[in-house]
Amino acid sequence: MFSIYFLLLAVLIFIINIFFSKKERNTHFILETFLKWFFLIIVGLGCIFAFMGHTFNADETAKMIGWGTGSPFQFEVAMANLAIGVTGILAFWFRKTYWLAASTVYAVFLLGASCVHIMQIAENNNYSPLNSGFFLWFNDITLPIIIFILVLWYLKLDKKK
C-alpha cells in the first residue's frame, strides 16, 4: 500500500512544480519534471522504504510476502532495494542516460521479482498481501514498465531538442 502513497506524493509535487514553474510547459519539460520526481520519490524513497522493511522489520515483511522468516536472503533483497533507492535519489540530479540505466535496473529487479511472485502464486497458492494482487500488478509490473517507457520517450524528445 505504501506504493500508492509514494505515487500520490510524487504526482502532487509534480503538479505543484509544473503549476509554479516559469518555464515553457512543453512535453519535454513535463516529462522531465515528472521523471525527476518519480525517480526521487517512487524509486528512491520507495526502495529505501522497502530496504528498511526487509532490514528492520524482516520477519513481518517476510510473512506479508509469504516467505519463511530468518532467511539471510532477506538481507540480500534489502541491499538490492537500498542500491536501487540510492540510484533513484541520484537520478533526481543526473538525468538523460543515467535515467536509462536507473530505469533499467529498477525494471529488471521488479519484473524479475514479479516472476518469482507469480511462480509462488502458481506453485504454492501464495496470495499473501505483498506477493499478489494490487501490490504485484502495480508495484512490481506497472510502475517499472511506465518509468522505462517514459524515459525512452524523454530521451527521444531530448535528441530532437
Side-chain angles (χ1 to χ4, degrees):
M1 192 60 154
F2 68 87
S3 301
I4 292 293
Y5 298 128
F6 285 121
L7 178 63
L8 292 174
L9 180 61
V11 169
L12 178 66
I13 293 173
F14 159 74
I15 291 169
I16 291 169
N17 195 228
I18 292 292
F19 183 76
F20 287 106
S21 177
K22 304 275 189 236
K23 294 183 180 179
E24 178 186 350
R25 290 174 185 89
N26 58 30
T27 305
H28 185 269
F29 171 71
I30 290 169
L31 265 177
E32 182 177 51
T33 304
F34 181 77
L35 283 168
K36 76 179 184 181
W37 292 111
F38 195 102
F39 272 112
L40 179 65
I41 296 169
I42 294 174
V43 177
L45 297 180
C47 285
I48 287 175
F49 187 81
F51 155 77
M52 292 185 329
H54 285 287
T55 303
F56 305 116
N57 199 17
D59 287 345
E60 185 62 32
T61 300
K63 288 176 189 173
M64 290 181 73
I65 300 171
W67 294 349
T69 60
S71 171
F73 286 105
Q74 185 84 318
F75 190 68
E76 287 188 25
V77 171
M79 290 296 103
N81 274 294
L82 178 60
I84 296 166
V86 169
T87 301
I89 291 169
L90 291 173
F92 183 79
W93 291 282
F94 300 105
R95 301 199 176 126
K96 300 189 182 189
T97 54
Y98 190 90
W99 279 359
L100 182 58
S103 64
T104 301
V105 170
Y106 184 66
V108 167
F109 176 69
L110 287 176
L111 292 172
S114 73
C115 291
V116 173
H117 294 306
I118 291 168
M119 287 188 308
Q120 284 291 304
I121 292 168
E123 295 171 5
N124 301 314
N125 286 328
N126 180 354
Y127 289 94
S128 300
L130 295 183
N131 192 68
S132 64
F134 180 78
F135 186 83
L136 168 65
W137 295 107
F138 180 72
N139 190 70
D140 289 0
I141 297 172
T142 305
L143 285 179
I145 290 171
I146 288 172
I147 192 170
F148 191 75
I149 290 169
L150 290 178
V151 166
L152 292 177
W153 186 18
Y154 172 81
L155 291 173
K156 184 178 178 180
L157 288 175
D158 200 54
K159 278 186 181 179
K160 293 179 182 179
K161 211 172 178 195

